[in-house]
Amino acid sequence: MGDEETLYTITEADLDSGLRGVPVGTCRTSYVDPIEGVHYVGYPVGDLANLEEEDVIYLLMHKHLPTPEESKAFHAELAQRAEGIPTGALRVLESLTPGSGHPMDWLAIGIMALGAADTHARRPGNARADSMNLISRMPELMARIFLLRGGRPGELRPRKPELGLVENFVHMLGVEGAVAKRMERMLRFFFILHMDHGGGNLSTFSGKAVASGRASIYVSIASAMNALSGPLHGRANQACLEFVQRIGTSDPDEIEAFVRSELAARRPIYGFGHGVLRAEDPRARLLIELGEEICPDDENFRIVTALREVVPPILKEIPKISNPYPNVDLASGSLLHSVGFHKPDYYTTFFGWARVAGICAQILDERSARDGRGTPIYRPKYIPREQPHRRLE
């Protein structure tokens, strides 16, 4: 024990800091390089962005890209599990008032409902089956959320899981033709770029912490989605498009004046900065390149590209800002809007849908860690603060 390497020294400044930067475990699925960005099982995410999303899920779960035979079998398993969704599993969503709550509330409720309907979900040793069931059924859950919350239940089309995850979702929404192809292209790209992000982000860590108590995959992922729903985490892509729409112009001088006024009022500049990266997020560059392909003349996208040029020099003037560069949220909302999703409050559900696969893969890794014994239940230590001595009279 005495020869073990010291990874980190805890100081007083580390207390009440949200565990920021404090090592607590290992992650086999992904890591974030401060300059080169997100890597999945060693691959830069840009190398994977144009693959089929099912093959990237396979990579995260199995730690290697599938052979053609493995890919075919994996696709078939997902399709078969999607067809096996229990009858009435999502009926609870029909009892919710259309337009009520945030879509992320509906997403967490839907995942819990899928778990309640899955008779195998609470049996030990079924974490992989539960993960595959949930991943395969997410397209139907997402489609039902969009149509039921929007007050359009009659527009839901019968599932066709053999089409693929994203394609099945678009089909169930009733989108067809060239519009569907463009929507599928954007969603596949988005899905892969958002699928995993190391082990320490709030939603992933929350899901793994709940799972460490041997809670079911469904309960754990619902907890992760609730963590993702906050404005400081997954809801940032919604806030970023709303920020872009508030600007309303791609004129560089007007953007600079707007940004400086926001900074003077101590309001956030959305779409810039990152907790780990110290360069432009490669995912931001990839999404902007996709935007140049699918919506180069879209007004929101033109504002995004102007922000990319105008904002970093302004933020560099502020000494405490260590990363003035664009992050993945800068362009994601404008691209979702450009392909037909015009309500920003739904955008975090896409983020959550993408992240389900990565969090499931990490939970499976933790369940098999330490030679199969699994990661122990999470139990961080809190230091008591000095308090006055008191007695009841």
Side-chain angles (χ1 to χ4, degrees), residues 254-267:
E254 293 186 40
I255 288 177
E256 179 171 354
F258 180 91
V259 169
R260 290 191 182 279
S261 69
E262 292 293 286
L263 289 171
R266 298 184 179 275
R267 289 191 286 265

Side-chain angles (χ1 to χ4, degrees), residues 51-366:
L51 299 181
E52 294 187 10
E53 65 274 19
E54 291 88 349
D55 289 344
V56 181
I57 295 172
Y58 185 99
L59 170 68
L60 293 177
M61 295 184 74
H62 297 273
K63 311 303 179 283
H64 66 87
L65 286 169
T67 65
E69 294 77 16
E70 289 169 333
S71 176
K72 182 178 179 180
F74 195 69
H75 280 70
E77 181 182 357
L78 287 170
Q80 179 268 323
R81 289 183 180 278
E83 288 286 10
I85 185 172
T87 302
L90 295 173
R91 195 164 292 149
V92 64
L93 297 179
E94 298 172 10
S95 67
L96 301 178
T97 303
S100 65
H102 192 278
M104 286 299 290
D105 301 334
W106 289 58
L107 182 61
I109 291 168
I111 290 171
M112 290 292 291
L114 288 172
D118 191 336
T119 58
H120 298 285
R122 299 193 181 276
R123 298 180 188 174
N126 276 298
R128 184 194 178 278
D130 294 344
S131 296
M132 291 291 287
N133 282 340
L134 178 57
I135 291 167
S136 72
R137 296 165 188 174
M138 283 298 298
E140 182 160 345
L141 170 56
M142 287 286 292
R144 288 181 180 272
I145 289 171
F146 270 71
L147 296 177
L148 290 171
R149 188 175 182 276
R152 298 177 287 134
E155 296 182 22
L156 183 72
R157 290 190 174 184
R159 70 182 80 95
K160 285 188 177 180
E162 67 275 10
L163 296 175
L165 295 171
V166 165
E167 295 83 353
N168 186 27
F169 166 71
V170 172
H171 158 74
M172 284 188 284
L173 290 184
V175 182
E176 298 178 330
V179 176
K181 294 300 181 185
R182 191 162 162 267
M183 186 178 287
E184 290 163 5
R185 166 80 169 128
M186 194 275 146
L187 288 178
R188 280 195 301 269
F189 207 91
F190 178 99
F191 194 95
I192 290 170
L193 294 188
H194 288 79
M195 204 176 287
D196 206 38
H197 196 266
N201 63 81
L202 178 63
S203 51
T204 302
F205 183 75
S206 298
K208 292 192 295 183
V210 172
S212 74
R214 292 303 182 267
S216 75
I217 290 292
Y218 295 96
V219 170
S220 303
I221 297 298
S223 300
M225 295 302 103
N226 285 324
L228 188 69
S229 69
L232 296 184
H233 190 14
R235 213 180 289 186
N237 60 1
Q238 170 184 339
C240 193
L241 179 63
E242 292 167 344
F243 178 72
V244 165
Q245 292 175 329
R246 279 176 54 211
I247 295 172
T249 176
S250 56
D251 179 83
D253 293 334
E254 293 186 40
I255 288 177
E256 179 171 354
F258 180 91
V259 169
R260 290 191 182 279
S261 69
E262 292 293 286
L263 289 171
R266 298 184 179 275
R267 289 191 286 265
I269 305 302
Y270 293 98
F272 294 84
H274 191 276
V276 178
L277 286 165
R278 295 298 174 261
E280 181 177 76
D281 190 335
R283 298 173 301 170
R285 173 182 56 79
L286 290 162
L287 284 168
I288 288 172
E289 290 173 358
L290 178 65
E292 297 288 0
E293 172 193 328
I294 67 172
C295 60
D297 299 321
D298 179 84
E299 181 56 29
N300 291 320
F301 180 69
R302 288 167 62 88
I303 295 171
V304 164
T305 57
L307 281 166
R308 186 191 191 194
E309 300 300 323
V310 171
V311 171
I314 298 173
L315 296 182
K316 287 178 182 178
E317 298 171 5
I318 304 172
K320 69 177 183 179
I321 293 180
S322 58
N323 179 4
Y325 302 106
N327 60 42
V328 70
D329 296 315
L330 178 64
S332 61
S334 66
L335 266 63
L336 287 168
H337 188 278
S338 76
V339 298
F341 299 107
H342 295 158
K343 296 183 178 180
D345 55 347
Y346 283 90
Y347 292 175
T348 309
T349 63
F350 286 118
F351 191 170
W353 175 18
R355 193 56 62 85
V356 163
I359 301 173
C360 282
Q362 291 202 35
I363 291 172
L364 293 178
D365 286 345
E366 295 214 343

